[in-house]
Amino acid sequence: MIINVDSQENLNTLNNNIKNKDFIIWFYADWCGHCNAMKDEWSKFEQSAGNEFNIANVRDDLKDGVEGGCGKNVSGFPKIVAASNGNEVAEHTGGRTLEDLLTFAKENVANNTLLNNTQKKSKKKGKPSKKGKPSKKGKPSKKGKPSKKGKKKKKKKKKKQN
């Protein structure tokens, strides 16, 4: 389901649905350059994910009317959140490409049920390791062996000492 909240009537439609469904919500402003720059990627996201996720686009002048209050937390545009019962449970702070938006939706909503109801921020922190954690360049692995980056640094130091 995709709801474009650009009128009071559409806001009412969102509020009737947000009570018992989870949504990915894009808060935007027509005057916002960043919002205008990401419109094409957001349209691609709607086309790709509109059958899998509930999506709402909420215009800046209607944000405070979203039930549950997640619109009241908007202090800048664009803002993309995962919401449950109108409450923000995760904020997207990563990139604005189709891939980034799909990853955020999949990480925070499973079968239109939010994965958790705690305040969770989605942030890019570099390439994840095999265990899903950010890599620790040059730090020893759990087995006590230095990572490949750590080995390279040691070899360079040995050459300089000779």
Side-chain angles (χ1 to χ4, degrees):
M1 164 188 316
I2 299 171
I3 302 172
N4 188 20
V5 182
D6 58 358
S7 68
Q8 186 62 47
E9 182 181 335
N10 292 346
L11 178 61
N12 293 340
T13 301
L14 174 62
N15 285 337
N16 289 334
N17 284 284
I18 206 167
K19 294 174 190 174
N20 55 13
K21 291 183 176 83
D22 300 321
F23 276 85
I24 299 296
I25 304 174
W26 177 41
F27 293 99
Y28 72 95
D30 290 329
W31 49 262
C32 169
H34 295 288
C35 299
N36 290 323
M38 74 171 285
K39 273 185 182 177
D40 289 341
E41 289 298 309
W42 186 259
S43 292
K44 290 176 192 175
F45 171 69
E46 287 178 330
Q47 291 169 1
S48 297
N51 292 330
E52 186 178 352
F53 301 104
N54 295 315
I55 299 171
N57 312 316
V58 180
R59 195 174 66 203
D60 62 328
D61 59 328
L62 297 165
K63 67 180 178 56
D64 292 333
V66 176
E67 279 198 20
C70 73
K72 292 181 174 130
N73 295 328
V74 178
S75 59
F77 298 100
K79 182 172 182 176
I80 301 167
V81 301
S84 181
N85 300 320
N87 295 307
E88 178 183 323
V89 295
E91 178 181 357
H92 176 63
T93 57
R96 296 177 182 160
T97 65
L98 171 60
E99 184 179 299
D100 295 325
L101 297 169
L102 287 170
T103 299
F104 172 73
K106 289 174 183 173
E107 285 178 353
N108 292 286
V109 181
N111 299 324
N112 266 337
T113 303
L114 288 167
L115 296 176
N116 64 42
N117 288 327
T118 60
Q119 197 69 12
K120 178 180 171 184
K121 303 285 182 185
S122 171
K123 293 185 178 181
K124 281 192 162 184
K125 294 183 180 178
K127 282 189 174 180
S129 66
K130 290 180 183 175
K131 296 191 177 194
K133 297 178 184 175
S135 61
K136 296 177 182 177
K137 296 178 182 175
K139 303 253 175 158
S141 68
K142 288 189 176 185
K143 293 180 182 178
K145 297 177 183 176
S147 68
K148 289 180 182 178
K149 293 245 178 203
K151 285 181 183 177
K152 286 180 184 176
K153 287 179 184 176
K154 287 182 182 177
K155 284 181 183 178
K156 286 181 183 177
K157 286 181 184 176
K158 285 181 182 178
K159 285 181 182 178
K160 287 180 182 178
Q161 290 174 352
N162 293 336

